[in-house]
Amino acid sequence: MDTLQQDGDELEWKESARWVKFEEKVEDGGERWSKPHVSTLSLHSLFELRTCLQTGTVVLDLEGYSLPQIVDEIIERQIDEGMLSPDLREKISFVLLRKHRHQTKKPIHRSLADMGKASGGGARECPSALWSRMAIGIPIHIILRNKFMKKIPRDAEASNVLVGEVDFLDKPFVAFVRLAQATTLGGLTEVPVPTRFLFILLGPTGKAKSYNQIGRAIATLMVDDLFSDVAYKARDREDLIAGIDEFLDEVIVLPPGEWDPKIRIEPPKKVPTADKRKSVHSLNELGQPNGTAGGSGGHSEDEEMPVAHELGEELAHTGRFCGGLFLDMKRKLPWFPSDFYEGFHIQSISAVLFIYLGCITNAITFGGLLGDATDNYQGVMESFLGTALSGTVFCMFSGQPLIILSSTGPILIFEKLLFEFSKNNGIDYMELRLWIGIHSCIQCFLLVATDASYIIKYMTRFTEEGFSSLISFIFISDAIKKMMGSFKYYPINTDFKPDYVTAYKCECLAPDPSESILVPTDNTSNLDWSQLSKKECVKYGGSLVGNTCKYVPDLALMSFILFFGTYSMTVSLKKFKFSRYFPTKLRKLISDFSIFMAIMTFVGLDRLIGLKTPKLIVPTEFKPTRPDRGWIVLPFGKNPWWVYLASFVPALLVTILIFMDQQISAVIVNRKENKLRKGCGYHLDLFWVGVLMAVCSFLGLPWYVAATVISIAHIDSLKMESESSAPGEQPQFLGVREQRLTGILVFVLTGVSIFLAPVLQFIPMPVLYGVFLYMGVASLSGIQFWERIKLYMMPSKYQPDFPFLRHVPLRRVHLFTLVQIICLAVLWVLKSTVLAILFPVMILGLLVVRKMLDMVFSQHDLAWIDDILPGKDKKKDKKKKGDKDDTKKKDKKKGRADDSKDKSDLDRSITLHLKISCPSSPTVPMAHGRGMAFPVPQVKIEMESD
């Protein structure tokens, strides 16, 4: 918007405000733009704008290619319509064609120094010839140097507003023009964006403030999605006025005196889309009130309506043999090439480094525990190899390559129980395990062939959040437990007193010959015991005496610094993209590489201090952990024949465990909030998990399934946001960078980690525990269950304005949360005992608990705090309902006469005779509604009742 200013003796148009999405004003000092803010308009200015469009000139689809031509056309039309005196033609034309001065701290023509243009700050003139040359002859990379151009969406068009006061007019000169083709009109705009609309308002002196408010009103309307759509499609003046009326319908008035108009309202973090506003308007037109409680809950104009629990066509029951599997393959094949070339992005590098460190830490931890549980039949080496093999194959061919495979706690418990059972009964463990893997593979194939993944659609938010919260808490708990363990191994030396340092010593005393069980030899008899090291003293049977013999450096404290420092720095850098410092690209780069930077920082700190903190230990040789086993497990020869058949029973338990773990994790990954566009493949995923079960069993490697927390972390590290956003607008979440490359690289790196031991040995374990803690905490963000838990500790007046709190009583919310907490506690106790093998059965139990909640909570409440369970067969339900309605109608017709005596007086039919008379001319004054005036006829109604 440009306003007419007096510069000495000359008039000029000076840019005073601009809108891309929100309003930016030129500050009073004239040296900078204001912060983007929501436009606050006076209701009076909107009514005046409406009057301007009613009385002024409206020209739609004008063929204009230059500003002088357009101005001449507007003036000519006003003269023809008798709205302007011909003798004012030259004066109006002279004013409208004055030069334009734009507010630019760094003018775009500064980059055109080779053309002889001087560069400078502040407000500068932009000649028409310069813009024309830029529009037709200057390379696009020069234009893009202007940072403001990057904030404007591609294919954007401009609306120019010119307002001002002149002394030669006695009534306003108003024109609204829509050009047939968007045209770059010289220096009219600050940046070379083609102009589609022009609004001109010139009026008599003394009303500059009013003209400015009208200009702000039309500018705000033009950036409104619904009105701009009307402006593009309007056929005449009346369509534009109707668009203003629709805008007025949604305007909210803030009473004067109850707020400060000088306060600039900050742009909201999330703006409702135009589609939602259209749907709300259509509901209002149909007479459906907002806030009605239906099958999916109520809604209001300013909040999202809860959506019924639907997981898409991927879980539809086909009824054909392997029907779901073939549909998954058909769905994923067209995307297969893009799954690789879309991975070539700098963001993928940070994702690979992050997930790789999480995977090798998990592999080492799980491998060590598995080695202890199975007497090293499976250890760290098998864990590394199995992770690399299973993960690579799965990411290459699965339906959802964003899922990361890993080992889980219930599988570890099962392996431990299986090994003890084999050892106590004289059964070969590896051969029995092979047959369990084969049976489980076959059972997975049967589940895939019968579309058994269909059951997943009954897993609502209640089950998903309970499962993901449990896994997150396990990650957090394990990270803290490992850190607490370091305080036991390396206790903090609290007894050290600097003043008594002279008294601290440790000596090695020779053993008493009379009490020693060692036979003196020439080697021990000639030893100088006072010169021996601690290890040598213990080796030869000496005793350590002194106050400092048990002293160790404060490794526990240093480990805690590394642990908490890695976590806190990762969290801080992850949020750095919302900071006010540095350019956007640098902030985003720091945020993407936050985990890598935190790890490298504290690895460097550890090296600088030089303490012997516990380091990452990686196998250095490619060989089985147990020397007496090979890489291939033979299926026959070591166990009785009945074992091969009986292994079907424990395999069934493993299959349930894998099915539940895999599919719930897949549901969480495939949530609609992640905006995945390539679809998912539940059946294809389960097929490859089954294949890998058999392969790992033959190779004697651990079994793998989807890891919920690491998969969520993988998605978070690949989230995309809009690069170009309007000033003041928050970057919009666009979705996830769906590809297979990051997962494949992670697992390939895991496989070659045995050759990276010289580098990885410098990484302290507390740093990796900090990464584990971050994964667990980050996966809790966005979980409604966690937000509802925090409500217990908040007074009502400080509780966030969650949509479900508007529609569900707080006590009902607390009750629902309490049920979830009890279920989570039961699962936690269960997984901490030997009964962890029943963990998948308990997950199925959550489905039963959720079904029982239908008897405690109304469908309206469940729609807001959970999801509505899918109905049975909707067609059958409709048919039954229709049959019942027909029966009721027949019964009414048949029994109307018999039942009339029993009906109350309120049910009797009433006949009304209406006499309506309307005079030919209006007899009442003009009424105002929605800002428009119309005549209302007088209506006389007489009613007579029988």
Side-chain angles (χ1 to χ4, degrees):
M1 183 176 80
D2 290 1
T3 56
L4 192 62
Q5 304 284 338
Q6 187 83 24
D7 184 16
D9 296 333
E10 292 190 6
L11 292 173
E12 68 173 5
W13 292 100
K14 185 177 181 181
E15 189 173 18
S16 58
R18 69 185 182 193
W19 288 255
V20 178
K21 191 172 184 67
F22 301 101
E23 182 176 3
E24 296 175 88
K25 291 182 179 179
V26 176
E27 301 286 23
D28 291 339
E31 295 182 356
R32 69 168 192 169
W33 286 104
S34 70
K35 287 185 62 177
H37 56 276
V38 178
S39 298
T40 50
L41 308 174
S42 65
L43 200 58
H44 185 66
S45 67
L46 288 169
F47 286 125
E48 285 188 317
L49 172 63
R50 192 178 187 280
T51 303
C52 287
L53 291 180
Q54 281 183 320
T55 58
T57 299
V58 175
V59 184
L60 301 179
D61 297 328
L62 175 67
E63 296 290 344
Y65 300 99
S66 67
L67 187 59
Q69 175 195 350
I70 296 170
V71 169
D72 288 343
E73 182 70 26
I74 296 170
I75 295 174
E76 190 65 36
R77 293 205 181 197
Q78 289 231 357
I79 293 174
D80 292 344
E81 295 173 3
M83 301 169 63
L84 183 68
S85 174
D87 58 351
L88 295 177
R89 177 198 297 269
E90 296 299 329
K91 292 183 178 180
I92 293 286
S93 179
F94 175 80
V95 170
L96 293 180
L97 295 179
R98 290 299 81 205
K99 64 183 179 181
H100 291 261
R101 186 181 296 271
H102 300 292
Q103 171 64 27
T104 51
K105 284 190 74 174
K106 293 182 179 179
I108 192 169
H109 54 270
R110 171 178 288 185
S111 60
L112 306 177
D114 56 329
M115 300 173 64
K117 300 294 181 182
S119 62
R124 296 298 304 266
E125 179 182 348
C126 300
S128 303
L130 175 62
W131 287 123
S132 302
R133 295 185 65 177
M134 292 186 66
I136 59 174
I138 303 302
I140 189 65
H141 70 273
I142 296 180
I143 295 176
L144 290 179
R145 288 179 188 174
N146 188 334
K147 292 182 180 179
F148 182 57
M149 279 297 293
K150 298 178 182 178
K151 298 290 185 180
I152 301 175
R154 291 185 179 180
D155 303 324
E157 295 176 346
S159 301
N160 288 283
V161 179
L162 306 178
V163 295
E165 56 180 4
V166 291
D167 56 5
F168 55 81
L169 286 177
D170 55 1
K171 64 178 181 178
F173 174 89
V174 181
F176 180 88
V177 179
R178 182 181 69 197
L179 299 179
Q181 296 293 330
T183 307
T184 303
L185 299 177
L188 191 60
T189 54
E190 176 187 350
V191 287
V193 176
T195 295
R196 172 72 70 168
F197 297 94
L198 270 172
F199 179 81
I200 301 171
L201 172 58
L202 293 177
T205 57
K207 294 186 177 181
K209 185 176 179 181
S210 175
Y211 302 153
N212 188 67
Q213 291 299 316
I214 295 173
R216 289 181 61 246
I218 186 64
T220 305
L221 279 166
M222 292 307 299
V223 294
D224 180 72
D225 291 333
L226 295 188
F227 184 83
S228 63
D229 191 43
V230 170
Y232 271 97
K233 298 177 180 178
R235 293 165 295 182
D236 52 30
R237 184 195 310 267
E238 298 303 321
D239 288 344
L240 291 173
I241 295 172
I244 295 180
D245 292 338
E246 296 297 344
F247 184 84
L248 284 166
D249 279 344
E250 298 187 61
V251 164
I252 297 173
V253 178
L254 295 174
E258 296 186 15
W259 72 294
D260 187 358
K262 296 179 181 178
I263 295 176
R264 290 171 177 167
I265 301 176
E266 291 281 337
K269 292 184 178 180
K270 186 178 181 182
V271 181
T273 62
D275 294 335
K276 289 182 181 178
R277 289 173 57 195
K278 287 178 183 177
S279 63
V280 168
H281 176 69
S282 62
L283 285 175
N284 293 338
E285 289 294 325
L286 292 172
Q288 298 182 11
N290 295 328
T292 54
S296 59
H299 66 284
S300 64
E301 293 181 10
D302 58 343
E303 58 196 55
E304 292 188 6
M305 182 176 168
V307 182
H309 182 65
E310 296 180 2
L311 295 175
E313 60 178 9
E314 296 89 352
L315 290 176
H317 189 68
T318 62
R320 301 191 303 272
F321 179 77
C322 291
L325 178 64
F326 288 125
L327 287 176
D328 285 350
M329 295 171 65
K330 182 179 179 182
R331 186 182 305 110
K332 300 302 292 186
L333 272 176
W335 298 103
F336 198 73
S338 66
D339 284 343
F340 289 93
Y341 64 73
E342 287 184 7
F344 289 95
H345 191 273
I346 192 169
Q347 188 181 19
S348 301
I349 300 175
S350 64
V352 168
L353 294 173
F354 174 32
I355 304 302
Y356 164 68
L357 290 171
C359 282
I360 63 170
T361 307
N362 205 34
I364 289 171
T365 304
F366 185 82
L369 295 173
L370 200 57
D372 295 339
T374 63
D375 197 15
N376 284 332
Y377 274 103
Q378 298 175 77
V380 176
M381 175 56 74
E382 287 78 10
S383 182
F384 265 76
L385 183 60
T387 302
L389 173 65
S390 301
T392 304
V393 172
F394 186 85
C395 287
M396 180 71 76
F397 302 109
S398 68
Q400 184 48 271
L402 295 176
I403 292 175
I404 300 295
L405 294 192
S406 181
S407 298
T408 60
I411 288 180
L412 176 63
I413 298 294
F414 181 85
E415 296 274 18
K416 184 177 182 179
L417 294 176
L418 186 65
F419 178 77
E420 291 176 355
F421 173 81
S422 304
K423 187 177 181 180
N424 296 334
N425 293 277
I427 298 175
D428 185 77
Y429 162 69
M430 296 301 288
E431 188 177 291
L432 173 61
R433 185 178 176 279
L434 168 62
W435 279 98
I436 291 175
I438 293 174
H439 281 296
S440 183
C441 174
I442 295 172
Q443 290 165 5
C444 286
F445 289 168
L446 290 175
L447 292 175
V448 171
T450 56
D451 294 346
S453 297
Y454 174 75
I455 193 177
I456 299 299
K457 77 173 192 173
Y458 293 100
M459 293 184 182
T460 64
R461 185 196 296 266
F462 177 86
T463 309
E464 294 172 22
E465 291 186 341
F467 179 80
S468 60
S469 297
L470 177 67
I471 303 301
S472 299
F473 287 141
I474 290 174
F475 262 67
I476 296 171
S477 172
D478 286 350
I480 295 175
K481 277 182 181 177
K482 289 179 172 64
M483 276 310 305
M484 296 304 294
S486 67
F487 281 82
K488 295 180 181 178
Y489 287 112
Y490 310 107
I492 294 177
N493 189 21
T494 56
D495 296 329
F496 179 78
K497 295 181 178 59
D499 194 40
Y500 292 93
V501 67
T502 54
Y504 294 150
K505 61 180 179 177
C506 182
E507 294 180 338
C508 179
L509 300 181
D512 189 349
S514 62
E515 297 180 0
S516 177
I517 60 173
L518 293 176
V519 178
T521 62
D522 294 337
N523 293 334
T524 59
S525 59
N526 298 327
L527 286 177
D528 184 358
W529 292 91
S530 63
Q531 300 298 319
L532 294 181
S533 66
K534 179 180 176 180
K535 289 184 179 179
E536 292 173 337
C537 182
V538 175
K539 177 181 178 182
Y540 294 118
S543 57
L544 297 168
V545 179
N547 296 327
T548 62
C549 291
K550 294 183 178 180
Y551 171 76
V552 291
D554 288 336
L555 293 182
L557 185 59
M558 184 63 190
S559 297
F560 180 78
I561 292 172
L562 296 176
F563 166 73
F564 190 73
T566 302
Y567 166 75
S568 57
M569 185 174 178
T570 301
V571 172
S572 301
L573 293 181
K574 202 70 179 176
K575 296 178 180 178
F576 193 73
K577 64 181 175 183
F578 303 111
S579 169
R580 299 175 185 270
Y581 304 101
F582 304 115
T584 304
K585 286 189 176 180
L586 181 58
R587 293 201 310 267
K588 192 173 185 307
L589 195 65
I590 291 174
S591 177
D592 289 341
F593 284 86
S594 57
I595 295 152
F596 177 73
M597 293 172 67
I599 290 172
M600 295 306 296
T601 299
F602 286 94
V603 168
L605 178 64
D606 178 72
R607 294 292 296 166
L608 183 65
I609 301 299
L611 293 179
K612 293 185 178 179
T613 50
K615 299 295 193 297
L616 184 64
I617 301 174
V618 183
T620 55
E621 296 183 45
F622 185 73
K623 64 179 182 180
T625 306
R626 190 180 174 98
D628 61 346
R629 63 151 287 194
W631 283 118
I632 303 296
V633 179
L634 300 177
F636 302 104
K638 294 184 179 180
N639 289 331
W641 64 270
W642 57 267
V643 173
Y644 309 144
L645 300 178
S647 56
F648 174 85
V649 178
L652 189 60
L653 195 60
V654 175
T655 303
I656 296 174
L657 187 153
I658 286 176
F659 177 81
M660 299 302 295
D661 242 359
Q662 174 67 38
Q663 302 297 53
I664 292 180
S665 299
V667 167
I668 294 171
V669 167
N670 294 321
R671 280 175 177 165
K672 289 183 178 180
E673 296 88 57
N674 292 329
K675 295 184 179 181
L676 303 181
R677 57 190 173 86
K678 296 184 179 181
C680 44
Y682 294 95
H683 312 283
L684 187 57
D685 289 346
L686 188 60
F687 172 81
W688 281 108
V689 168
V691 170
L692 292 169
M693 281 282 294
V695 173
C696 290
S697 300
F698 272 104
L699 296 176
L701 304 177
W703 295 321
Y704 293 92
V705 74
T708 308
V709 171
I710 301 181
S711 299
I712 293 174
H714 190 206
I715 283 181
D716 287 340
S717 63
L718 291 170
K719 285 185 175 179
M720 299 184 295
E721 292 179 335
S722 57
E723 294 182 2
S724 138
S725 54
E729 184 182 19
Q730 294 288 340
Q732 300 297 311
F733 172 59
L734 301 178
V736 179
R737 201 174 300 281
E738 298 178 66
Q739 35 72 49
R740 301 178 185 270
L741 205 57
T742 53
I744 292 174
L745 288 176
V746 164
F747 292 111
V748 169
L749 282 175
T750 304
V752 301
S753 291
I754 53 175
F755 305 110
L756 300 176
V759 177
L760 298 177
Q761 66 182 355
F762 293 112
I763 302 178
M765 289 302 293
V767 169
L768 298 181
Y769 298 153
V771 175
F772 261 48
L773 178 65
Y774 171 76
M775 284 185 178
V777 173
S779 60
L780 284 176
S781 63
I783 295 181
Q784 190 200 86
F785 173 45
W786 180 240
E787 299 295 336
R788 283 189 274 108
I789 289 177
K790 292 190 286 187
L791 291 178
Y792 277 110
M793 297 173 280
M794 294 182 192
S796 297
K797 62 180 178 180
Y798 296 123
Q799 291 175 355
D801 187 21
F802 293 126
F804 60 83
L805 288 179
R806 298 184 181 185
H807 298 271
V808 183
L810 185 60
R811 64 181 185 279
R812 306 293 290 173
V813 173
H814 284 337
L815 177 61
F816 187 85
T817 307
L818 182 62
V819 174
Q820 280 188 291
I821 292 174
I822 293 173
C823 292
L824 182 63
V826 171
L827 289 174
W828 182 272
V829 172
L830 192 69
K831 78 94 192 169
S832 303
T833 62
V834 180
L835 295 176
I837 198 170
L838 299 176
F839 179 77
V841 179
M842 292 303 297
I843 295 294
L844 284 174
L846 288 179
L847 298 181
V848 179
V849 174
R850 171 60 185 85
K851 183 64 178 175
M852 294 171 63
L853 289 178
D854 280 348
M855 297 182 289
V856 181
F857 295 89
S858 67
Q859 294 300 301
H860 171 271
D861 291 352
L862 291 173
W864 283 101
I865 56 180
D866 189 42
D867 296 312
I868 301 296
L869 285 174
K872 295 181 181 178
D873 191 347
K874 293 183 179 180
K875 293 182 180 179
K876 291 182 180 178
D877 292 343
K878 288 182 180 179
K879 186 177 180 181
K880 290 179 181 178
K881 186 177 180 181
D883 293 342
K884 288 181 181 179
D885 292 341
D886 293 340
T887 305
K888 288 181 180 179
K889 289 179 181 179
K890 291 179 181 178
D891 292 341
K892 284 183 179 179
K893 291 180 180 179
K894 185 178 180 181
R896 184 172 292 169
D898 297 333
D899 297 340
S900 60
K901 295 179 182 180
D902 299 329
K903 289 184 178 180
S904 63
D905 293 337
L906 293 176
D907 292 333
R908 296 180 186 274
S909 60
I910 298 175
T911 305
L912 295 178
H913 299 279
L914 302 182
K915 296 180 180 178
I916 304 177
S917 60
C918 297
S920 57
S921 60
T923 58
V924 294
M926 303 288 279
H928 292 273
R930 292 170 55 186
M932 57 190 296
F934 53 90
V936 178
Q938 184 182 15
V939 180
K940 182 180 179 182
I941 301 177
E942 297 178 359
M943 295 193 299
E944 297 178 2
S945 172
D946 291 342

